[in-house]
Amino acid sequence: MYAPYHGPKPPWRFVVLGRQAMVDMQRLTLSFYDENWRDLGKHSTEYEYQRWRSKTEEEITGRWGPVSYMIAIVVKRQAGSKRVPMWEEICATACAVQNMHLQASRHPGLACYWSSWHAAARDSEDMAEYLGMGSEDQCLGFFIVAACDPTFNPRRCRYPEVHLDTDWRVDGPKS
């Protein structure tokens, strides 16, 4: 995988989760919330939490069941005295993920997207340990890869980006 970066080596590290590893990671996510939901303030009552938990647990075999792979997107913090800022390493990693997405979009029958996942669980020490991350590494989410009907790809068509505007200031201000 190529993307621009500073430093002696790329800052990205991808952890590819197959079927059982995906289930294990999702169970780890639920376990984290089971232990911490009250402190996180996302659900005001246990009833609300249990409703959310039930829905999320059903997604393991429902929404996420057909997924082929979940790829953890990890920024591996560079060591040494001349480290580049973390934001540059995050940007380089995002470029690498974009390149994976661009490559995948060339294959009919392959669907992908970047999920930021459940933030509190994603950023937890449990997830860092599960993914084999260092103390300064950061998980940016998961790149979801699944097979799809190759004739169903309405979002793969590129249309002119009329909503984007570029202001060129190379020869002075626009008149």
Side-chain angles (χ1 to χ4, degrees), residues 27 30 52-62:
R27 296 237 176 261
L30 287 172
W52 173 86
R53 190 192 192 290
S54 177
K55 177 183 160 239
T56 304
E57 188 168 27
E58 288 172 9
E59 289 179 343
I60 293 173
T61 55

Side-chain angles (χ1 to χ4, degrees), residues 2-154:
Y2 179 77
Y5 63 91
H6 288 113
K9 59 184 181 178
W12 53 85
R13 178 171 165 264
F14 300 116
V15 181
V16 181
L17 306 180
R19 182 84 45 209
Q20 187 56 52
M22 288 188 292
V23 170
D24 293 344
M25 184 277 295
Q26 292 172 83
R27 296 237 176 261
L28 182 144
T29 298
L30 287 172
S31 176
F32 173 82
Y33 281 104
D34 286 345
E35 295 174 21
N36 297 287
W37 73 269
R38 285 178 183 87
D39 299 329
L40 296 171
K42 184 176 178 180
H43 307 282
S44 58
T45 67
E46 186 166 358
Y47 174 75
E48 284 180 18
Y49 172 70
Q50 290 300 332
R51 279 186 37 200
W52 173 86
R53 190 192 192 290
S54 177
K55 177 183 160 239
T56 304
E57 188 168 27
E58 288 172 9
E59 289 179 343
I60 293 173
T61 55
R63 177 182 186 185
W64 304 116
V67 168
S68 304
Y69 300 98
M70 289 181 168
I71 304 172
I73 304 163
V74 177
V75 178
K76 182 154 184 65
R77 190 71 169 119
Q78 302 295 309
S81 59
K82 294 184 177 181
R83 299 192 323 176
V84 299
M86 183 61 156
W87 72 266
E88 288 186 23
E89 294 186 335
I90 291 170
C91 290
T93 302
C95 287
V97 174
Q98 180 185 27
N99 286 339
M100 284 196 306
H101 210 164
L102 288 170
Q103 289 176 5
S105 70
R106 299 285 299 142
H107 300 280
L110 191 59
C112 303
Y113 82 99
W114 181 342
S115 168
S116 57
W117 203 242
H118 302 273
R122 178 200 66 219
D123 297 340
S124 71
E125 290 179 15
D126 293 341
M127 187 67 74
E129 182 179 326
Y130 181 74
L131 297 174
M133 296 167 47
S135 62
E136 293 185 286
D137 297 351
Q138 184 177 348
C139 179
L140 302 179
F142 292 86
F143 191 65
I144 311 299
V145 181
C148 69
D149 179 349
T151 63
F152 180 73
N153 50 4

